[in-house]
Amino acid sequence: MTNSIQTGSLGSIKPDIEVFRARPEDTEAVLQLLVQTAEWLRSKGSRQWSGLLQGEDSHQTPEAIKRGEVYLFMQGSMLAGIVMLMQKESAWDRELWGAEGHESAIYLHRLAINREAAGKNVGEAIVRWAASGIVFEGKDRIRLDCIANNAKLNAFYLNCGYAYKGTAVNAMGEFNKYEMMC
């Protein structure tokens, strides 16, 4: 995280974790957390987010930050986590979800937790904040996908209140789709 002082808190998810919209000067810290998460996933035997380790960012994070779609979760000066909430579906989302229902949906991508904040339900708090802590005009649901063979991650989203909406397959693998009304 940069040394600049964040202003404009969007609330908190825990007594000591505040929410902010990422700014362009936060881009480096956000990308560092994404790469650290990809490295951690690799250490656990997962290929999820492996493109980030080769410098490939399929979600174009710097552009998403400029559009105001990336949110920071700050515990003091530590970046505890991030999430991307896209108000318009990406080509990836259209491929997995098909042609219908995008107008009223927010797409949750790139939930990443700093390993120093892991094990404290920060991820769950972020996911719940995305559904009830922020409102997007004209949007009544949040959609996300995750790799189908990660049982722990799939159980996490079910435990957070998301409903399973089927499986989609593409060149990258098999993905389960989840949705929550908000």
Side-chain angles (χ1 to χ4, degrees), residues 3 7 83 122 132 140 145:
N3 289 331
T7 58
V83 72
V122 173
S132 63
D140 66 359
D145 64 85

Side-chain angles (χ1 to χ4, degrees), residues 81-173:
I82 64 162
V83 72
M84 184 181 294
L85 299 173
M86 298 173 61
Q87 294 187 57
K88 183 167 175 34
E89 77 281 1
S90 66
W92 174 267
D93 298 317
R94 284 190 301 277
E95 181 179 3
L96 294 186
W97 288 89
E100 302 297 319
H102 299 291
E103 307 78 31
S104 64
I106 294 290
Y107 291 86
L108 187 150
H109 290 288
R110 295 295 196 217
L111 172 64
I113 307 303
N114 185 323
R115 300 320 308 154
E116 290 181 42
K120 301 173 186 165
N121 298 321
V122 173
E124 180 180 344
I126 291 172
V127 169
R128 292 191 186 282
W129 175 86
S132 63
I134 188 165
V135 176
F136 296 96
E137 188 174 334
K139 307 294 184 177
D140 66 359
R141 68 198 66 217
I142 297 179
R143 289 178 168 178
L144 62 90
D145 64 85
C146 70
I147 197 150
N149 67 2
N150 185 329
K152 187 174 181 179
L153 186 59
N154 281 270
F156 169 78
Y157 288 119
L158 288 170
N159 289 335
C160 286
Y162 280 79
Y164 172 75
K165 293 295 184 176
T167 300
V169 178
N170 67 17
M172 300 298 291

Side-chain angles (χ1 to χ4, degrees), residues 56-68:
E56 300 167 10
D57 181 6
S58 62
H59 289 296
Q60 301 161 341
T61 304
E63 291 81 5
I65 289 171
K66 289 176 186 171
R67 290 190 305 267

Side-chain angles (χ1 to χ4, degrees), residues 1-6 23-30 32 72 74 76-79:
M1 186 71 207
T2 61
N3 289 331
S4 63
I5 297 172
Q6 281 281 350
R23 302 167 303 174
E25 55 265 33
D26 300 317
T27 301
E28 184 179 334
V30 169
Q32 285 176 353
L72 310 177
M74 300 297 301
S77 62
M78 180 182 73
L79 179 56

